[in-house]
Amino acid sequence: MTTKRVTLLILAIIVIASPFFFPSNYYYRVGSLIFVNGLAVTGMVILIGYAGQISLGHAGFAGIGGYACALAPVHLGLHPGLAAILGAAISGALAWAVGRPVLRLKGYYLAVATLGLGILVSMVLANEAWLTRGPDGIEVPDLGLNDLLEAVGIDLSNSQFWYFFSGLVLVIGAWVALNLYDSPTGRALRALHGSEIAARTVGIDVARLKLQAFVISAIYASLSGSLLALQNKFITPDVAGFMHSIEMVTMAVLGGVGSVLGAFFGATILTTLPQVLTVFQEYEQILLGLVMMLCMIFMREGLLPSILRALRGKDK
């Protein structure tokens, strides 16, 4: 069985089997957050793991996706689902327009430029109160799919519905990313990651590939923001904040940025660990930072690749 099929099978099993171990609906909520973060981090895998580029402003695209679901139904009369697609289209267009000049930069210049983009989007969402209602946030209309399921005899609570719906979107997003990995474009992206000079030498259009990866990852981030807004039925500018961008990158690197499954593993750890560490109260952030530092020091490839390598070593 190929790596792609194994990854998709594992993700599907996790989505379907996990509820059998949930003692309350609260765990459905945590699970849906893991899937939403996993979707955003899958986009980071395409940008960082495949193409070798860095972005510290991708939360801005998540903010665009979330606010599209809040504003488009009110001002344009769109269904929230269509509003999410519109948000993804806007994010992709913005990434294309900004990425053309920005992606000519390298290293920390690129990181700072993308950081500026994220901060700019966050400032617009927070300051343009006439449209976004400012820092207080804005309500998001209901998607309506749960009511449709009830009409055909499928009765799910709100948290259960969003758990399974977010899980389905994550699996689809992972399928797209894995297909991209195996495609000629994916192989060219990996060549670019290895060496831009070598990639140019064999005729790869480096600028076009960088831009493609940036646009695709922006669409993933936008859809994750839309999912978060729709399930919360509320959105604030925090979703586009700097710390959310850092969380995306950290989740990808922590789990293993070269692997879709590793990135999902990182999203799971970084989403659930704060819930576990709440018992330590004021020491929660210190312990969370310590755990992350130790993982990066002793597991530089990421948690999942390091664990798999250790297991293979034991088998030998």
Side-chain angles (χ1 to χ4, degrees), residues 9-96:
L9 180 62
I10 291 174
L11 289 176
I13 290 173
I14 289 172
V15 173
I16 296 170
S18 294
F20 290 104
F21 304 95
F22 290 168
S24 68
N25 275 346
Y26 168 75
Y27 292 87
Y28 283 102
R29 165 66 177 168
V30 175
S32 64
L33 287 176
I34 291 172
F35 297 152
V36 168
N37 289 332
L39 182 66
V41 176
T42 300
M44 299 307 294
V45 168
I46 294 172
L47 181 64
I48 304 175
Y50 293 4
Q53 306 303 302
I54 185 67
S55 173
L56 298 181
H58 258 53
F61 299 118
I64 292 173
Y67 273 85
C69 292
L71 299 175
V74 175
H75 297 284
L76 301 178
L78 290 180
H79 184 275
L82 294 176
I85 296 174
L86 175 63
I90 293 173
S91 295
L94 178 62
W96 181 85

Side-chain angles (χ1 to χ4, degrees), residues 152-313:
V152 297
I154 302 175
D155 188 15
L156 298 174
S157 68
N158 189 61
S159 57
Q160 289 173 335
F161 167 76
W162 281 110
Y163 171 87
F164 287 110
F165 185 75
S166 300
L168 175 63
V169 175
L170 171 64
V171 172
I172 294 173
W175 174 75
V176 172
L178 290 166
N179 277 328
L180 176 63
Y181 183 88
D182 291 330
S183 70
T185 300
R187 289 191 288 272
L189 284 171
R190 300 200 302 277
L192 165 64
H193 189 178
S195 171
E196 286 190 24
I197 297 175
R200 285 196 181 95
T201 302
V202 296
I204 293 175
D205 189 340
V206 170
R208 180 179 61 84
L209 282 175
K210 284 183 179 180
L211 190 59
Q212 284 182 353
F214 192 65
V215 170
I216 293 171
S217 63
I219 292 173
Y220 272 82
S222 179
L223 291 174
S224 74
S226 295
L227 278 176
L228 184 64
L230 288 167
Q231 73 177 48
N232 288 341
K233 298 182 181 178
F234 196 79
I235 190 74
T236 69
D238 290 342
V239 74
F242 169 66
M243 288 309 300
H244 191 196
S245 293
I246 296 300
E247 286 175 356
M248 289 183 188
V249 176
T250 304
M251 288 175 183
V253 174
L254 184 66
V257 74
S259 162
V260 171
L261 193 59
F264 171 75
F265 191 64
T268 302
I269 295 296
L270 211 57
T271 303
T272 57
L273 197 57
Q275 312 297 326
V276 175
L277 294 178
T278 52
V279 297
F280 296 100
Q281 298 178 358
E282 65 267 23
Y283 302 106
E284 173 191 345
Q285 296 299 323
I286 295 176
L287 290 173
L288 179 60
L290 179 61
V291 169
M292 291 170 58
M293 287 174 60
L294 291 174
C295 288
M296 290 297 94
I297 291 171
F298 296 105
M299 299 180 177
R300 297 182 182 181
E301 296 177 357
L303 286 173
L304 188 61
S306 298
I307 292 171
L308 292 176
R309 185 176 61 181
L311 291 175
R312 291 191 192 103

